Amino acid sequence: MTQLDDVHTSSDAPKLGRRRDPAKDQQILDAAVEVLAETGFDGMTIDMVASRAGAGKATVYRRWTSKNELVLDAVACMKKGDLDSLAIPDTGTLRGDLVAMIRPPSIHDAERKLKVMAGLASMLSSAPELADAANEAIVEPRARINRMLLNRAIERGEISSDTDIQLISLISPSMVAYRSLILRKPVDREFLITIIDGIILPAVGLGPTAPAPSAPAE
Amino acid sequence: MTQLDDVHTSSDAPKLGRRRDPAKDQQILDAAVEVLAETGFDGMTIDMVASRAGAGKATVYRRWTSKNELVLDAVACMKKGDLDSLAIPDTGTLRGDLVAMIRPPSIHDAERKLKVMAGLASMLSSAPELADAANEAIVEPRARINRMLLNRAIERGEISSDTDIQLISLISPSMVAYRSLILRKPVDREFLITIIDGIILPAVGLGPTAPAPSAPAE
DNA sequence: GCTATCCGGAACTCTGGAGTTTCGTATATG
DNA sequence: CATATACGAAACTCCAGAGTTCCGGATAGC
């Protein structure tokens, strides 16, 4: 959060005349994320963001001091839109949980986030703040869910407690990012299932040699 | 290859006076790759490339029509520097081969290529030619080696012929790219060994339950 | 040594985007 | 209705980088 009015909260709001519209802030941030995903940081202009948000360039600069601050806020606010964290199913098996996470909204959300990450990629090494914000908003939510599912599998005794959760939880984010960003191939349900059955489950000792407790047939 | 003098090869070389220096071409291309890795496509200026190559900006434009063409050529020429393709060991086991591929020059080369890829990331979606060149020069060489090692393991009967080579060969490139570009953590020998023993070998049925033929202790 | 050619460097134009200012209008408060 | 404020739009300045031009010096062939 780096908006201009962070310090003075609402104490000095005008007692007369028009008030600043808080909803407009979100419209601008959303527009910034859109443009960021489409054109990247360098291709993005303030005019693009403003016009897409139905605002003027001056309005943007009334609320953020610079393009950098706007992008930083826009990325940081992306994680608010995460509804995945709430709806985590418990199917009784690790494979069931992993497969249940494959849903069209989840896939679409991930691809949009990856486009934003691609647009920021060249700046990550020179802007640590931005890199941290991007990591927190784009990478961590997905990895956090995977870690939770793996911990749940350990608790129910399905997999060994020696499992390298940190490593395993990054398999699907890594391979999805690579396929989408670098190979530019679609990330569909079939691909995700292949990762689960061909890589993740074998890595935690639930490979086809030791069949999964429930229904491995899909 | 998109250089100006692609069509007329050497037939109309000047019979009098100074000749164009071919070595300078490579110096400029190398400088372009360096700057690309350090600052990304948008941060890179022709002046940077020229001065680093010990050349003038005019010299660059004498040989390439535009910044885009220069970058395209620079990326395409990266694959020529691949000496890995020659020195592929045969240790007798898949694990031995994979571990033998872990060498400081190989790691350093991979990180440099990934920085270039990061610098190009935002343009890949809008410049298909560039995306193809980047894929051919950065992604494919590494995946090709992995596919070769896996095929060798199949031939010697070490792993099943049903193995999904396409998928398995992308595990380490994906996880290395993710760790380096997005997590910005170092890619060291320990991490690579963890991937081999914790993910790749289990995925091909050579997990700790079926111990590797040679020495799994490392 | 002569000469055609290429070189590095510097000065140049031109374009586009960051950030600022102005202005007429819309609107909530009183 | 009056007023203070925020608004969208447009015009503005400023600057950096793409691409061009010019020039004195270096160099390979004759």
Side-chain angles (χ1 to χ4, degrees), chain B residues 140-204:
Chain B
E140 259 305 301
R142 191 79 27 175
R144 203 190 316 272
I145 292 175
N146 287 338
R147 290 199 302 269
M148 185 183 313
L149 299 184
L150 288 167
N151 274 320
R152 192 188 283 168
I154 289 180
E155 287 170 7
R156 69 165 75 99
E158 190 179 3
I159 64 177
S160 163
S161 59
D162 292 339
T163 304
D164 188 341
I165 290 182
Q166 292 293 333
L167 182 70
I168 306 295
S169 67
L170 293 179
I171 292 179
S172 74
S174 299
M175 300 206 62
V176 166
Y178 195 80
R179 181 176 176 90
S180 180
L181 293 186
I182 299 183
L183 300 180
R184 289 168 303 126
K185 291 180 180 175
V187 177
D188 50 16
R189 180 182 176 84
E190 180 188 357
F191 175 68
L192 294 169
I193 296 270
T194 305
I195 291 179
I196 294 172
D197 289 331
I199 304 178
I200 296 178
L201 293 183
V204 297

Side-chain angles (χ1 to χ4, degrees), chain B residues 89-98 100 149 152-153 156-158 213-214:
Chain B
D90 188 341
T91 65
T93 65
L94 177 59
R95 183 179 191 280
D97 289 352
L98 292 172
L149 299 184
R152 192 188 283 168
R156 69 165 75 99
E158 190 179 3
S214 74

Side-chain angles (χ1 to χ4, degrees), chain B residues 33 36-37 75 78 112-121 138:
Chain B
V33 172
L36 215 46
V75 171
M78 284 178 68
R112 195 180 61 100
K113 285 183 173 180
L114 283 175
K115 285 182 182 175
V116 174
M117 184 61 91
L120 300 175
I138 302 177

Side-chain angles (χ1 to χ4, degrees), chain B residues 40-105:
Chain B
F41 179 88
D42 296 283
M44 156 183 165
T45 71
I46 302 294
D47 278 314
M48 283 189 218
V49 176
S51 67
R52 188 167 309 206
K57 182 156 59 161
T59 302
V60 175
Y61 280 104
R62 250 174 239 129
R63 300 169 188 229
W64 288 274
T65 60
S66 70
K67 179 179 175 180
N68 287 330
E69 299 287 347
L70 171 62
V71 169
L72 203 54
D73 250 22
V75 171
C77 289
M78 284 178 68
K79 66 176 175 184
K80 292 180 182 174
D82 261 321
L83 31 113
D84 282 340
S85 310
L86 304 174
I88 299 180
D90 188 341
T91 65
T93 65
L94 177 59
R95 183 179 191 280
D97 289 352
L98 292 172
V99 171
M101 289 300 304
I102 306 175
R103 291 165 298 171

Side-chain angles (χ1 to χ4, degrees), chain A residues 17-18 24 54-56 58-59 62-63:
Chain A
R18 198 180 182 178
K24 183 64 74 176
T59 302
R62 251 174 237 125
R63 301 170 188 227

